[in-house]
Amino acid sequence: MSPTFHSLSIRNYRIWFLGGLVSNIGTWAGRVGQDWLVLTELTDHSSTALGTVTGLQFLPILLLAPWAGAIADRYDKRRTLVATQTGLLLTTLALGILAVTGTAQLWHVYLIAALQGVITAIDNPARQAFVPEIVGREHLSNAVGLNSASFNSGRLIGPGLAGLVIAAWGTGPALLMNSASFLFVLAALVAMREADLRPAPRLTGRGGIREGLAYVNRRKDLRLIMLLIFVLGTFGMNFQITTALMATQTFHKGAGEYGLLGSIMAIGSLAAALRTAGRKEPRLWIMLVALGGFVGASAAAALAPTYLTFAVLLVPVGFTALTAMTVANTLVQTRVDPIMRGRVMALYMAIFMGGTPIGAPIIGWIGEHAGPRWTILVGSIGVGLVLAVVSRLLLKEENVRVSWDTERRPHFDVHTSPRHRRGPQVEEPTPEPAR
């Protein structure tokens, strides 16, 4: 089997991947349906309302991260996922029924978004930490890349499909399509062979939350990755707001053209996920270069003169953003102790996705007062500034040496000089024991 797809040789992972693929298509269709419902049916294209909905979905991820991570490390992850996926099915079904019957109001969307945020806060770390239990450490980098490919295949298919469904039948059927997709994940969880799973040691006793925070605080490498991801997630990854505003206000397009933008961006994201899945090990330099590419590509997209130019530029935007996110996720997953993985991934997801409640309302306000183009440019500027600071820190204060191998690929080696040894040191990750 091709190195890009070798994790699919594992039966449990094949089932998980296929169930997740269908669910991701439904999720992206549901996002487009929700955004279109808020923008065109419940408000008069209010970017503030859309930013509020997005913020409510992600705020619980930020607030509940320590507890959600402890839940992932303490309890059986498969049973936790059955409970969370059932909750997401019911909440999306409720919104779909409200939309179909024409009784949906803006406060309904706000309430359901907040409930989904709470459920997702528990679901995310359990789902992230469950993957190593399916494939083991030797396949982890590949599985993370394939998960990203599944997610972005959903982004490629879901928005375009939702646009067609909305144009033909309205937003309600697009939302109900999302509800039905959760059944496939639940079926996959039930169909897995428990004997083939590789469960990590479980958290016992008290102090798990404090222990998780202290662990991350000791790890300078993890803090560096999380800082970059926080800025990217907070100001650079608000595409469900920015593309909606660019499509409807700057280029004056309808639901079909808006949905198409998400699919076009997913072309670049899917290519990045497959490229990352084919790599044996993640590298920090790949993440830094990808972030630099994102700054340039997103700035160019913000200044695009036509809808077609904007759509084309979303391909490199999706490629660079997804490369940075996938490499960061894999770096964190492979560098932590298995018993800490749920808590660390909860903090990682809180930093990445939990920044959205901060960024989304700001982006929405900028869209109303400065125009849609600035909703993208603010992310380009923010990511660029932090990337410059981090790069200077690595090159100067941390004494990073850049070398080249025979294939002319750069390597970043950190050598802490004696004058810096008084500060916190980078703790070497404890390798996962062979199974």
Side-chain angles (χ1 to χ4, degrees):
M1 181 174 288
S2 167
T4 302
F5 301 100
H6 61 79
S7 292
L8 293 176
S9 63
I10 302 170
R11 177 186 178 275
N12 279 350
Y13 184 72
R14 281 199 307 274
I15 296 171
W16 175 255
F17 178 85
L18 292 173
L21 177 60
V22 176
S23 180
N24 285 325
I25 293 172
T27 295
W28 280 103
R31 287 186 181 181
V32 171
Q34 174 189 268
D35 294 349
W36 201 251
L37 178 68
V38 171
L39 277 176
T40 65
E41 298 182 25
L42 302 181
T43 69
D44 184 18
H45 295 85
S46 172
S47 57
T48 299
L50 185 59
T52 301
V53 171
T54 304
L56 287 171
Q57 285 179 310
F58 291 104
L59 182 60
I61 297 174
L62 178 63
L63 299 178
L64 301 178
W67 293 272
I71 289 172
D73 283 333
R74 189 180 297 276
Y75 299 105
D76 182 271
K77 296 177 182 62
R78 184 161 65 149
R79 293 181 180 178
T80 300
L81 289 170
V82 168
T84 56
Q85 292 293 305
T86 301
L88 290 171
L89 186 156
L90 294 175
T91 53
T92 54
L93 179 62
L95 183 60
I97 292 173
L98 288 170
V100 167
T101 58
T103 57
Q105 298 180 34
L106 189 58
W107 73 268
H108 291 147
V109 183
Y110 287 163
L111 176 61
I112 290 173
L115 289 174
Q116 290 177 338
V118 172
I119 299 169
T120 303
I122 300 171
D123 180 89
N124 274 341
R127 182 156 38 86
Q128 295 281 338
F130 186 50
V131 175
E133 297 189 3
I134 302 175
V135 301
R137 194 184 190 282
E138 63 272 23
H139 297 284
L140 181 57
S141 180
N142 178 253
V144 171
L146 289 180
N147 286 345
S148 295
S150 169
F151 181 80
N152 286 283
S153 295
R155 175 183 274 182
L156 181 64
I157 301 169
L161 181 60
L164 294 174
V165 171
I166 292 171
W169 299 292
T171 56
L175 294 168
L176 291 175
M177 190 164 49
N178 184 22
S179 302
S181 71
F182 286 104
L183 294 173
F184 289 83
V185 178
L186 289 169
L189 289 166
V190 172
M192 286 183 179
R193 292 176 184 162
E194 187 172 357
D196 293 342
L197 297 174
R198 307 178 183 188
R202 290 193 192 174
L203 171 66
T204 59
R206 299 181 177 180
I209 294 174
R210 291 192 302 272
E211 187 181 38
L213 294 171
Y215 180 84
V216 172
N217 187 54
R218 293 196 305 269
R219 295 288 300 273
K220 187 181 290 186
D221 55 339
L222 299 182
R223 297 202 313 270
L224 172 65
I225 294 169
M226 290 182 182
L227 171 62
L228 291 167
I229 286 298
F230 171 76
V231 178
L232 177 65
T234 302
F235 298 107
M237 297 297 294
N238 293 284
F239 296 124
Q240 65 187 100
I241 300 175
T242 57
T243 57
L245 295 176
M246 290 289 286
T248 58
Q249 296 185 21
T250 302
F251 302 117
H252 309 291
K253 302 297 182 180
E257 292 88 346
Y258 164 49
L260 185 61
L261 290 177
S263 297
I264 291 173
M265 179 181 288
I267 295 173
S269 301
L270 180 59
L274 293 174
R275 179 68 184 90
T276 304
R279 294 190 179 100
K280 292 183 178 180
E281 293 290 339
R283 294 287 185 266
L284 177 60
W285 72 264
I286 298 175
M287 178 183 173
L288 298 177
V289 171
L291 288 172
F294 172 82
V295 171
S298 60
L303 301 174
T306 66
Y307 172 84
L308 179 60
T309 307
F310 178 72
V312 171
L313 286 169
L314 289 181
V315 175
V317 170
F319 183 88
T320 53
L322 200 281
T323 297
M325 289 187 295
T326 305
V327 171
N329 186 299
T330 309
L331 283 170
V332 173
Q333 290 244 36
T334 55
R335 292 185 178 198
V336 300
D337 295 330
I339 197 171
M340 303 295 300
R341 189 172 282 126
R343 282 163 287 176
V344 172
M345 292 311 298
L347 291 173
Y348 173 85
M349 297 305 295
I351 286 171
F352 174 54
M353 301 177 69
T356 303
I358 301 171
I362 295 174
I363 294 298
W365 183 87
I366 290 173
E368 289 195 349
H369 292 83
R373 295 184 185 277
W374 276 99
T375 63
I376 302 176
L377 280 173
V378 69
S380 306
I381 295 169
V383 174
L385 289 174
V386 174
L387 180 61
V389 171
V390 168
S391 299
R392 179 175 175 80
L393 173 68
L394 286 173
L395 290 170
K396 184 177 180 181
E397 295 189 16
E398 296 302 325
N399 194 19
V400 169
R401 301 173 186 173
V402 182
S403 59
W404 298 81
D405 62 16
T406 56
E407 297 179 357
R408 302 300 296 166
R409 294 178 179 176
H411 292 281
F412 288 74
D413 300 314
V414 178
H415 303 276
T416 305
S417 58
R419 60 179 177 155
H420 295 119
R421 286 178 184 166
R422 289 175 294 177
Q425 300 300 299
V426 177
E427 177 181 311
E428 292 297 326
T430 303
E432 184 172 343
R435 298 179 186 274

